């Protein structure tokens, strides 16, 4: 801490501070330089003490935004994101963001003010049982009622958030705990060491068996999940794939963990995965699942999922083993560590007939280069994604919202770098793009950051435009505007006889809205205008918004209806002017 | 089927809610749950009997372990164990009808722990089926049962078993239990074993 009061020194390294000061001093000690928050009555002592510490506070416009920003910050950087809110409504507004981080195992620490411990449980003004409310959506949470407990609790919260399978932690600190004083000693407040899950173990017999399965497999496939990014196992997964010439299919959150332009990369699997990826899974005789959890969006119906394949499941959370898909061999542990033990057992092959077959499936089925499609005057979201990828040379950090544009992004923006796609996979939280992009930009100011949202999701957290303006953040916003809640409309078209109940949505003029915040923007209606608008956004120092008015009733293909088998895809109709990314074979 | 889990948990406020909430989320009904202090300082022992599918055990154990306050979990479903439950049963009984209840208590090795002009209280310990047997006989002999309080199942593995996880974590024994100090070398070896890779 820099200017904190040093009134009493009981022993070296120990200073007496208020609980409020201890909050910031502990955050500083944990290496936190930026936090996202919103002040209010019960957290005011903490805000009063903030000026004494070298921590940048980004004022959000809604606490949901604070949680998403902390989330985007953590996903982009790998560091713990911190969100701060007051008691009552401030705390409850965080909940959607906390649940989003929980479902995608993102390490964030949320600090909430709470009414004084003397009135806890009395329905005092702005009192809510936030630890009770967030119990099922946090990895763990705490109530702190004494100043001396602030530092040890916060330090433990950071440890819990990052260790094992990461996740969000909430620390609820009463006003009197902030106002009280206590001796502060960062080192002495160290949490008890991380205790590995007692069920964490990859038996050497299982490693040997797994290696034998991999060596003997004729049609192996790696399923690349978020865990690769969490454990930093990029090199190990790549070595495994290259040594045995194993093609790699990615989950949505696994995109970027394995380079998309690598010859062994197949692309995204699952509900909106490319046809050849899902066909490859169904034909494989071995699935090597790396840090993924066989979510229903990637398996389709479990009854017919990868019927010919043995499954090796490498996963840090034992509760995921056999939850959805039965594993023939479970290797429970940190992915990188497990692969490091496994790799010496894996020999090198030069030739893989299976890889050739998969590539043929891909080759004959793919017409990937959509930039060559004649310009029919229509603007398709897929065009926008492809052009964005091309113009940014695939190097931008992209934060998406949820829905059609999210799937098009996943299909057409090829991520070669980990932590370059920030998207809400598990919870599917609309309104995620704009605040998580802010968090990503704050975490990685040197990176080019794009927020891509639909016209529906953008309006859920559009208030954060004001945060961008106040912080003058150099990030670009692309709105894929089709006048519908697009994915809802697509489901209504496919499964509800085109009854477009409440899916058409009226939006403000987004460019004018941006201008009202002092943010310049442009509207794009044809393919020809895309390049110039993107160039304008990129060249400008500061925020820029592009409103892409795209084809209204386009759908994401291929699509596996919920509950159908992985190979039972709905394909793009022949007459549709946009070429398919895969044939209808 | 019935599963029986022993969870050794930190003795802190809110831990019971976290454990109970886990079963609620998995939509698993808790049949009985007993909590009390254990042989270690700051550690409570929960015995949880739950009705779930035969394959649910792994997931319940793994999920219990994910709770920060849970230190060790044991599934004692198949193990060789001593199983006990205690029940207090209050029966309406006049001086005229008491004697046959005394006889029943004798047969079930139960004790009469309270006697009032119009009622008496039976204390019985044993496996669930024994307690249910006494209740059934009381019902069939048309004695009116006024109150029943049961502790739920308590289970302990037979033989020289203790929590290896808590040994590895060096959680100290409570004062009453501190005479049996563990071998420090053994716990280091266990810690290495517990840490997996």
């Amino acid at each position: 801490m820099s200017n904190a009061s040093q009134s009493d020194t009981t022993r070296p390294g120990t200073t007496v501070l208020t609980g409020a000061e201890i909050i910031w001093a502990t955050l500083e000690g944990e290496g936190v330089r930026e936090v996202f928050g919103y002040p209010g009555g019960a957290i005011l002592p903490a805000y009063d003490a903030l000026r004494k510490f070298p921590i940048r506070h980004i004022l959000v416009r809604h606490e949901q935004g604070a949680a998403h920003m902390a989330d985007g910050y953590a996903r982009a950087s790998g560091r713990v994101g911190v969100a701060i809110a007051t008691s009552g409504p401030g705390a409850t507004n965080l909940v959607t963001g906390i649940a989003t981080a929980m479902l995608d195992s993102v390490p964030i620490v949320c600090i909430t003010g709470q009414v004084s411990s003397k009135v806890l449980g009395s329905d005092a003004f702005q009192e809510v049982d936030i630890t009770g409310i967030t119990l099922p959506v946090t990895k763990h949470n705490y109530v702190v009622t004494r100043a001396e407990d602030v530092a040890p609790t916060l330090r433990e919260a950071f440890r819990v958030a990052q260790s094992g399978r990461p996740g969000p932690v909430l620390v609820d600190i009463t006003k009197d705990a902030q106002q009280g004083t206590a001796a502060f000693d960062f080192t002495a407040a160290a949490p008890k060491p991380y205790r590995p899950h007692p069920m964490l173990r990859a038996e050497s017999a299982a490693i040997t068996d797994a290696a034998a399965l991999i060596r003997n497999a004729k049609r192996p496939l790696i399923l690349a999940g978020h865990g690769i990014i969490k454990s930093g196992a990029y090199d190990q997964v790549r070595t495994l794939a290259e040594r045995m010439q194993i093609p790699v299919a990615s989950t949505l959150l696994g995109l970027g963990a394995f380079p998309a332009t690598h010859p062994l990369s197949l692309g995204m699997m699952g509900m909106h995965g490319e046809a050849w990826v899902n066909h490859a899974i169904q034909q494989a005789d071995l699935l090597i699942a790396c840090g993924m959890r066989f979510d229903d969006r990637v398996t389709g119906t479990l009854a017919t999922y990868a019927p010919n394949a043995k499954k090796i499941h490498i996963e840090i959370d034992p509760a995921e083993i056999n939850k959805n898909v039965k594993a023939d061999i479970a290797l429970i542990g940190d992915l990188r560590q497990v692969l490091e033990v496994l790799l010496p057992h894996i020999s090198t092959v030069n030739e893989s007939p299976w890889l050739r077959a998969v590539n043929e499936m891909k080759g004959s089925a793919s017409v990937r280069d959509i930039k060559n499609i004649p310009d029919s005057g229509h603007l398709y979201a897929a065009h926008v994604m492809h052009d964005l990828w091309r113009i940014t040379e695939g190097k931008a950090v992209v934060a998406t919202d949820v829905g059609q544009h999210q799937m098009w992004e996943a299909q057409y923006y090829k991520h070669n770098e980990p932590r370059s796609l920030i998207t809400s996979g598990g919870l599917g939280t609309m309104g995620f793009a704009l605040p998580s992009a802010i968090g990503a930009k704050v975490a990685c100011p040197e990176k080019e950051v794009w927020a891509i949202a639909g016209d529906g999701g953008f309006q859920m957290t559009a208030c954060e435009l004001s945060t961008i303006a106040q912080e003058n953040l150099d990030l670009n916003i692309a709105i894929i505007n089709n006048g519908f809640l697009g994915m809802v409309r697509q489901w209504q078209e496919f499964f509800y006889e085109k009854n477009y109940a409440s899916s058409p949505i009226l939006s403000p003029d987004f460019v004018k809205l941006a201008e009202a915040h002092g943010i310049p923007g442009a509207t794009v209606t044809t393919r020809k205008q895309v390049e110039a608008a993107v160039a304008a956004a990129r060249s400008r120092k500061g925020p820029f918004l592009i409103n892409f008015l795209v084809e209204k009733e386009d759908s994401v293909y291929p699509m596996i209806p919920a509950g159908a088998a992985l190979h039972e895809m709905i394909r793009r109709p022949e007459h549709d002017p946009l070429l398919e990314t895969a044939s209808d074979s | 089927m019935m599963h029986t889990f022993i969870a050794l948990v930190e003795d802190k406020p809110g831990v019971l809610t976290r454990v109970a909430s886990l079963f609620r989320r998995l939509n698993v009904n808790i049949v009985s749950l007993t909590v009390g202090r254990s042989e270690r300082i700051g550690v409570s022992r929960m015995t949880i009997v739950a009705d779930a599918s035969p394959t649910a055990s792994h997931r319940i154990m793994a999920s219990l372990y994910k709770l920060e306050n849970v230190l060790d979990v044991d599934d004692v479903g198949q193990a060789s164990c001593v199983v006990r439950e205690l029940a207090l049963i209050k029966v309406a009984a006049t001086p005229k009808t008491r004697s046959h209840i005394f006889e029943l208590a004798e047969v079930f090795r139960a004790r009469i722990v309270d006697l009032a002009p119009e009622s008496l209280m039976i204390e019985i310990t044993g496996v669930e089926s024994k307690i249910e047997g006494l209740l059934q006989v009381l019902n069939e002999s048309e004695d009116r049962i006024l109150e029943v309080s049961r502790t739920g199942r308590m289970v302990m593995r037979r033989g020289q078993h203790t929590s290896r996880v808590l040994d590895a974590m060096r959680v100290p024994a409570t004062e009453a239990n501190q005479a049996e100090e563990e071998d420090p070398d053994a716990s280091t070896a266990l810690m290495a074993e517990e840490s997996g890779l």
Side-chain angles (χ1 to χ4, degrees):
Chain A
M1 81 237 100
S2 34
N3 302 317
S5 58
Q6 303 194 353
S7 48
D8 183 21
T9 307
T10 48
R11 64 188 171 95
T14 306
T15 321
V16 171
L17 300 179
T18 64
E21 289 166 335
I22 293 174
I23 293 174
W24 301 113
T26 310
L27 291 182
E28 190 191 348
E30 291 287 347
V32 174
R33 294 188 295 274
E34 297 93 359
V35 298
F36 306 91
Y38 204 104
I43 194 75
L44 265 181
Y47 274 83
D48 188 48
L50 173 57
R51 67 193 152 84
K52 300 174 190 167
F53 297 86
I55 289 177
R56 176 182 175 198
H57 180 273
I58 289 106
L59 176 69
V60 304
R61 294 302 179 271
H62 185 288
E63 290 87 348
Q64 182 188 346
H68 287 328
M69 287 176 208
D71 182 324
Y73 180 97
R75 291 188 207 229
S77 68
R79 305 194 297 270
V80 176
V82 178
I84 297 176
T86 192
S87 63
T92 56
N93 278 347
L94 289 172
V95 172
T96 301
I98 295 173
T100 305
M102 183 70 177
L103 270 277
D104 290 347
S105 310
V106 180
I108 65 170
V109 169
C110 296
I111 299 171
T112 49
Q114 181 56 281
V115 299
S116 249
S117 62
K118 292 179 286 295
V119 294
L120 266 181
S122 71
D123 290 344
F125 177 65
Q126 289 195 331
E127 187 199 354
V128 76
D129 174 16
I130 194 61
T131 44
I133 288 171
T134 58
L135 191 135
V137 293
T138 49
K139 190 173 167 194
H140 195 56
N141 59 24
Y142 303 87
V143 183
V144 177
T145 56
R146 303 184 311 170
E148 56 263 45
D149 294 337
V150 170
T153 309
L154 272 176
R155 290 208 63 186
E156 185 170 304
F158 271 77
R159 198 264 289 148
V160 170
Q162 300 172 83
S163 54
R165 179 177 180 172
V169 180
L170 181 134
V171 184
D172 196 29
I173 307 177
T174 60
K175 195 167 184 179
D176 52 337
Q178 298 169 51
Q179 289 164 330
T181 55
F184 173 69
D185 180 346
F186 183 79
T187 313
K192 53 182 194 281
Y194 165 58
R195 176 176 59 95
H197 197 301
M199 290 164 86
L200 270 186
R201 52 185 66 214
E203 311 283 357
S204 56
I207 293 272
T208 320
D209 291 351
L213 269 188
I214 295 171
R215 281 196 307 268
N216 297 327
K218 297 276 179 288
R219 299 184 306 280
L221 201 61
I222 290 173
L223 307 182
H226 202 189
I228 300 174
I229 297 170
K230 301 270 170 214
S231 91
Y234 321 112
D235 293 343
Q236 289 74 13
V237 170
R238 194 166 166 166
T239 305
L240 176 65
E242 288 173 350
R243 234 182 243 179
M244 290 290 295
Q245 294 294 298
I246 306 173
V248 178
S250 290
T251 67
L252 174 63
L253 293 182
L255 293 175
F258 188 81
T261 53
H262 192 286
L264 289 169
S265 172
L266 296 184
M268 185 173 70
M269 64 177 101
M271 183 174 271
H272 292 293
E274 303 287 8
W276 62 83
V277 190
N278 291 331
H279 283 311
I281 290 172
Q282 293 302 76
Q283 291 171 22
D285 69 350
L286 176 67
L287 299 181
I288 309 162
C290 296
M292 54 86 72
R293 59 185 176 93
F294 293 106
D295 182 81
D296 55 84
R297 286 299 191 262
V298 312
T299 60
T301 179
L302 290 168
T304 55
Y305 179 71
N308 309 313
K310 297 253 189 219
K311 285 99 181 171
I312 298 173
H313 197 175
I314 314 175
E315 166 62 45
I316 197 163
D317 181 357
E320 294 296 345
I321 303 296
N322 296 340
K323 186 178 83 175
N324 297 332
V325 169
K326 174 121 182 46
D328 295 279
I329 296 178
L331 302 177
I332 308 175
D334 175 77
L335 180 64
R336 191 171 57 181
Q337 289 177 18
V338 171
L339 287 179
E340 272 168 3
V341 179
L342 181 67
L343 280 173
H345 299 271
I346 305 294
S347 44
T348 306
V349 300
N350 303 318
E351 243 288 303
S352 166
W354 158 242
L355 181 62
R356 237 183 5 254
V358 171
N359 277 334
E360 269 166 32
M361 198 151 61
K362 185 174 168 181
S364 64
S366 65
V367 189
R368 305 217 50 169
D369 204 357
I370 56 170
K371 72 182 171 192
N372 295 326
I373 300 166
D375 188 349
S376 58
H378 295 270
L379 180 64
Y380 287 94
H383 288 150
V384 176
M385 300 303 172
H386 178 83
D387 289 350
L388 264 176
W389 168 71
R390 188 171 47 80
I391 299 166
T392 60
E393 298 169 340
K395 287 176 183 158
V397 172
V398 181
T400 78
D401 227 81
V402 168
Q404 286 186 319
H405 74 278
Q406 179 190 30
M407 294 298 108
W408 280 314
E409 200 282 348
Q411 291 177 341
Y412 294 103
Y413 197 105
K414 297 179 193 64
H415 291 274
N416 280 342
E417 291 295 321
R419 304 192 179 281
S420 66
L421 170 60
I422 291 166
T423 193
S424 166
L427 196 67
T429 309
M430 286 174 69
F432 180 73
L434 194 61
S436 65
I438 294 173
K441 185 67 194 179
V442 170
C444 308
E446 73 290 353
K447 297 239 173 88
E448 176 179 355
V449 175
W450 282 80
I452 306 183
D455 41 338
F458 181 79
Q459 291 184 71
M460 284 198 174
T461 50
C463 54
E464 303 302 343
L465 277 177
S466 195
T467 307
I468 294 171
Q470 185 166 352
E471 298 288 330
N472 192 28
L473 293 169
D474 182 16
L475 66 86
N476 300 313
I477 302 155
I479 300 176
I480 306 301
N481 186 345
N482 58 9
F484 278 101
L485 301 175
M487 191 58 91
V488 172
R489 187 211 59 76
Q490 178 171 340
W491 281 56
Q492 288 169 333
E493 177 188 335
F494 288 3
F495 312 120
Y496 295 90
E497 293 157 341
K498 294 198 179 186
N499 175 20
Y500 293 161
S502 298
S503 54
I505 182 169
L506 179 75
S507 294
D509 180 332
F510 289 119
V511 172
K512 277 191 183 157
L513 182 69
E515 279 165 3
H517 291 84
I519 298 172
T523 295
V524 169
T525 54
T526 65
R527 184 95 194 265
K528 283 197 196 78
Q529 302 165 338
V530 175
E531 183 134 9
V534 172
R538 298 184 77 215
S539 62
R540 188 178 183 278
K541 204 88 184 109
F544 196 90
L545 181 148
I546 308 175
N547 181 23
F548 292 100
L549 297 177
V550 299
E551 193 67 14
K552 284 186 180 308
E553 298 191 29
D554 193 13
S555 292
V556 182
Y557 297 98
M559 178 179 188
I560 301 157
L566 211 51
H567 52 275
E568 293 166 0
M569 281 165 270
I570 302 175
R571 313 306 303 271
R572 183 172 285 277
E574 296 277 4
H575 56 78
D576 203 294
L578 181 69
L579 289 185
E580 237 301 37
T581 57
S583 81
D584 295 292
S585 58
Chain B
M1 65 173 268
M2 291 298 173
H3 297 272
T4 306
F5 302 97
I6 311 275
L8 295 167
V9 303
E10 290 177 332
D11 186 9
K12 285 183 181 171
V15 177
L16 179 61
T17 310
R18 292 176 197 275
V19 171
S21 183
L22 183 154
F23 283 88
R24 172 192 59 75
R25 237 207 112 187
L26 295 174
N27 197 24
V28 169
N29 187 35
I30 295 177
V31 177
S32 77
L33 170 62
T34 66
V35 193
R37 297 228 164 106
S38 73
E39 74 282 7
R40 319 257 176 168
I41 294 171
V43 177
S44 293
R45 181 186 179 105
M46 293 184 174
T47 309
I48 308 156
V49 181
D51 190 3
S53 74
T55 54
S57 172
H58 166 86
R59 187 147 172 241
I60 292 173
M61 275 183 77
S63 304
L64 277 168
Y65 268 128
K66 282 167 76 170
L67 301 177
E68 282 297 319
N69 303 115
V70 173
L71 306 172
D72 193 8
V73 186
D74 192 9
D75 177 0
V76 291
Q78 309 300 319
S80 169
C81 294
V82 174
V83 180
R84 287 291 179 274
E85 181 172 0
L86 185 143
L88 294 175
I89 304 165
K90 193 189 285 173
V91 188
T94 59
K96 284 180 185 165
T97 61
R98 273 175 200 157
S99 60
H100 89 276
I101 296 176
F102 289 162
E103 283 167 24
L104 286 177
E106 180 85 359
V107 171
F108 280 87
R109 302 202 200 295
R111 297 197 302 148
I112 309 299
V113 290
D114 182 53
L115 192 62
E118 301 289 311
S119 72
L120 55 79
M121 196 192 298
I122 308 169
E123 177 197 298
I124 177 168
T125 310
V127 294
E128 287 100 325
S129 57
K130 179 178 164 188
I131 293 166
E132 269 142 31
L134 175 58
L135 287 169
Q136 190 187 350
V137 175
L138 287 169
N139 275 324
E140 283 171 2
S141 61
E142 291 177 4
D143 297 299
R144 190 171 161 236
I145 295 173
L146 300 172
E147 280 187 89
V148 175
S149 175
R150 300 173 62 165
T151 58
R153 187 188 293 181
M154 285 174 33
V155 183
M156 191 174 283
R157 280 181 184 267
R158 291 181 186 276
Q160 201 180 24
H161 175 271
T162 185
S163 168
R164 304 197 316 159
V165 173
L166 293 189
D167 275 352
M169 291 170 69
R170 295 167 186 255
V171 178
T174 52
E175 275 172 37
N177 196 29
Q178 260 168 359
E180 298 167 53
E181 196 56 46
E182 81 244 18
D183 176 12
D185 293 336
S187 69
T188 316
L190 277 164
M191 197 180 316
E193 193 182 323
E194 292 298 336
S195 64
L197 276 170

